[in-house]
Amino acid sequence: MTGGRWLAGALALVVLLVLLASSAPAHLLLRVLENTPVTAQALQGTIWQGRAGRVLVATDAGLLHLGEVSWSLRPWSLLALAPRLQVGSRWGGQRLQAELQIRGRSDITLENLDASFDAALLRHLAPVALQGVVSLQATQLRLRDGLPVETEGRLLWQQAAWDAPRGVLPLGSYVVEVSQPRGGDLTGTVLTLEGPVRATGQLQLARSSYSIAVLIAHDGRWDPQLQEALSLLARPVAEGYDLRLEGQLPVPGA
């Protein structure tokens, strides 16, 4: 067999494998999700294009509900061994839309990310009772080994409030503008959009090492509960409270 026929045969085999993968039933994904924190139910469609009626993620703070999740895979991206798919999820007022590309288990890129969720979900990260709506928009968010390596986006917290022991305390609305060149450090600028509690400052993430420097002030009289809570983390200054934190993020597999 000539070289040309070998090449034609190989291409035909690749096309056949891609077509078979794209038409495989969606329930085969259940095998992929075995022994992972993700549980999917009521799968319909194919691996190429389908939906799950319900998706749950197990966390240390309990189950995280993603609700109904849909996806659309670009079959030809399998040729580059970097699957690319459009994903979306909705659970009540919680929503997510993004284009996802996977380059192995530890290298994931999210593009055109648009997500919104209740601030109460932050309890999965910290044991604090918060209220409001958190939105995340990012033109690109690339994660490697669970840490960002290239980022451009913003995090918005609207109608923020603290569910304090003696009642709900309104805080305000805030935004963090985030930027990270490829291979560089992630930097973020914290700004207050409105509200009685004003926060301004910077945050930085260098690999897994983070630092936060935020000045917290109040337009009126401080609530004693809020002052007591801030005094546990921040240093009192003439303008309000100077919050400075440094530490290491947990690295999966480390």
Side-chain angles (χ1 to χ4, degrees):
M1 183 179 293
T2 65
R5 290 185 177 181
W6 270 109
L7 180 59
L11 289 175
L13 178 60
V14 169
V15 170
L16 177 60
L17 291 175
V18 170
L19 292 176
L20 288 174
S22 63
S23 61
H27 67 78
L28 293 179
L29 292 174
L30 295 177
R31 297 183 182 179
V32 178
L33 297 177
E34 289 181 354
N35 302 318
T36 74
V38 181
T39 301
Q41 301 172 350
L43 273 68
Q44 299 180 7
T46 65
I47 292 179
W48 182 359
Q49 187 168 3
R51 61 179 291 275
R54 190 182 187 193
V55 175
L56 305 171
V57 181
T59 74
D60 293 338
L63 289 175
L64 174 62
H65 292 256
L66 297 181
E68 180 179 304
V69 175
S70 60
W71 68 87
S72 178
L73 172 68
R74 297 183 181 179
W76 301 112
S77 64
L78 299 175
L79 296 178
L81 301 180
R84 180 182 290 270
L85 60 157
Q86 195 79 25
V87 296
S89 74
R90 183 171 294 275
W91 174 257
Q94 175 183 312
R95 60 177 177 78
L96 179 146
Q97 292 286 336
E99 187 167 346
L100 175 68
Q101 185 168 29
I102 304 172
R103 302 179 183 88
R105 296 177 62 89
S106 61
D107 193 342
I108 299 174
T109 299
L110 294 166
E111 296 179 345
N112 302 318
L113 171 63
D114 186 5
S116 179
F117 56 90
D118 193 310
L121 285 178
L122 294 175
R123 73 181 185 276
H124 291 272
L125 302 177
V128 182
L130 300 174
Q131 296 185 10
V133 178
V134 178
S135 302
L136 174 62
Q137 293 92 33
T139 55
Q140 184 175 62
L141 172 58
R142 185 172 185 181
L143 303 172
R144 185 173 295 162
D145 296 323
L147 296 173
V149 295
E150 187 175 4
T151 311
E152 193 68 39
R154 69 198 311 248
L155 181 69
L156 181 65
W157 185 14
Q158 295 175 291
Q159 301 172 353
W162 174 39
D163 194 357
R166 294 193 293 273
V168 177
L169 297 179
L171 303 175
S173 294
Y174 310 94
V175 64
V176 183
E177 300 285 353
V178 178
S179 180
Q180 180 184 22
R182 182 179 300 181
D185 295 342
L186 181 150
T187 59
T189 302
V190 181
L191 299 171
T192 301
L193 300 178
E194 61 178 1
V197 180
R198 291 180 284 110
T200 56
Q202 303 287 327
L203 59 85
Q204 184 175 31
L205 179 64
R207 295 184 182 271
S208 62
S209 300
Y210 68 85
S211 63
I212 300 173
V214 177
L215 178 63
I216 303 173
H218 203 295
D219 287 339
R221 294 182 57 185
W222 284 97
D223 182 277
Q225 293 182 91
L226 185 56
Q227 283 187 299
E228 181 180 355
L230 286 174
S231 64
L232 299 176
L233 298 173
R235 179 174 60 91
V237 294
E239 300 87 346
Y241 288 87
D242 184 21
L243 175 65
R244 294 183 181 269
L245 299 174
E246 294 183 350
Q248 295 283 329
L249 294 178
V251 179

